[in-house]
Amino acid sequence: MSRDTGESPHFDLTFRPAHGEAVPVGPRVQRITVNNPGPFTFHGTNSYIVGDRSVAVIDPGPEDEAHFQALMQALAGREVTHIAVSHTHRDHSPLSRRLKAETGALIVAEGPHRAARPLHAGESNPFAESSDMDFVPDIALGHGETVTGDGWALTALLTPGHTANHAAFALDGPEGIVFSADHVMAWATTIVAPPDGAMADYMASLERLLERDDRIYFPGHGGPVTEPASFLRGLRTHRRMRERAVRERIRAGDRLIADMVKVIYRETDPRLHGAAALSVLAHLEDLVGRGEVVTEGPPSLKGLYFPAPGL
């Protein structure tokens, strides 16, 4: 059982990416960061190498020649037996195919890309171009299933929310290491954007990780999360505060998501307001599903939202 601190998480923006360099970050673990910085990727996507002479690569990243060469240089003289992919956004998974062709390693993941729910009539997926629809793992892992190598073992922790097929990977050993990918990151909150993601799934995945006693997270972007339990509670508090803000804006008379975003995210970079609107939609899907908010038809970006009668 865990409790909320009542405080949002403290985000750490001090990460030094060392693009293209294999940086030791823990026993049997190296990190190589892709030079693909941006508002959604921070300083770039982190790939991890786990093991010694026989290794696994976690999230090889996008199709990027410099990053592929950096990976191959770091892997020289070592056998790659597995390529673990956390989810199928194009900054994480596409290079897995080239790396497999080069090394013969098996690709492991939860499964191919899919949306958290079907598209509604007339709806488009705003992240469709960011999704790696060609990805098919050699091994599909369920929650708690493990792949092993020479001196290491990785256990899949299914954490849907950011995407339906998102998985974190726990490294067996006393260090308490989890590769949290895009589910938990030290530098920012995770994008939860329908239909790829779902807020109810994301919140349940936070609870799933809170049941564990891990010591450090290595995320898909940015530096490590060094106090996972308190950080997770902070993320949960932050999401509940956002949900409360959405309810308050509806009670105040806001009916459109665009109007809610102007107030709730007034201090956020305007470049991120599109993602913020999708985050509000994710909260509204959850609130409508729980009967706290009503709308005509399925929740949508341009729908009208009202407090449920009696609330």
Side-chain angles (χ1 to χ4, degrees), residues 19-30:
H19 293 127
E21 297 181 23
V23 179
V25 293
R28 303 169 293 157
V29 180
Q30 295 173 292

Side-chain angles (χ1 to χ4, degrees), residues 58-82:
I58 299 175
D59 281 352
E63 282 287 356
D64 182 283
E65 182 64 26
H67 186 61
F68 178 75
Q69 295 302 329
L71 277 173
M72 294 309 300
Q73 181 177 348
L75 294 168
R78 300 196 274 183
E79 177 190 21
V80 183
T81 61
H82 295 82

Side-chain angles (χ1 to χ4, degrees), residues 8-155:
S8 293
H10 172 71
F11 295 114
D12 183 358
L13 303 179
T14 61
F15 179 63
R16 297 180 181 274
H19 293 127
E21 297 181 23
V23 179
V25 293
R28 303 169 293 157
V29 180
Q30 295 173 292
R31 180 188 66 223
I32 306 178
T33 303
V34 188
N35 190 8
N36 63 332
F40 300 118
T41 58
F42 196 32
H43 290 293
T45 303
N46 294 328
S47 299
Y48 295 95
I49 300 171
V50 176
D52 187 11
R53 289 170 297 183
S54 177
V55 304
V57 175
I58 299 175
D59 281 352
E63 282 287 356
D64 182 283
E65 182 64 26
H67 186 61
F68 178 75
Q69 295 302 329
L71 277 173
M72 294 309 300
Q73 181 177 348
L75 294 168
R78 300 196 274 183
E79 177 190 21
V80 183
T81 61
H82 295 82
I83 303 165
V85 173
S86 66
H87 66 293
T88 43
H89 281 156
R90 290 190 178 277
D91 57 324
H92 287 261
S93 59
L95 202 60
S96 62
R97 293 184 283 278
R98 186 175 177 188
L99 190 59
K100 174 186 174 178
E102 189 73 22
T103 65
L106 295 171
I107 299 175
V108 300
E110 187 272 353
H113 190 82
R114 66 184 186 281
R117 60 161 174 76
L119 286 172
H120 301 312
E123 182 185 27
S124 60
N125 185 345
F127 282 91
E129 293 185 2
S130 301
S131 302
D132 183 2
M133 304 304 296
D134 296 325
F135 179 85
V136 180
D138 298 305
I139 301 172
L141 294 177
H143 182 70
E145 293 186 336
T146 299
V147 292
T148 60
D150 182 13
W152 58 265
L154 289 171
T155 299

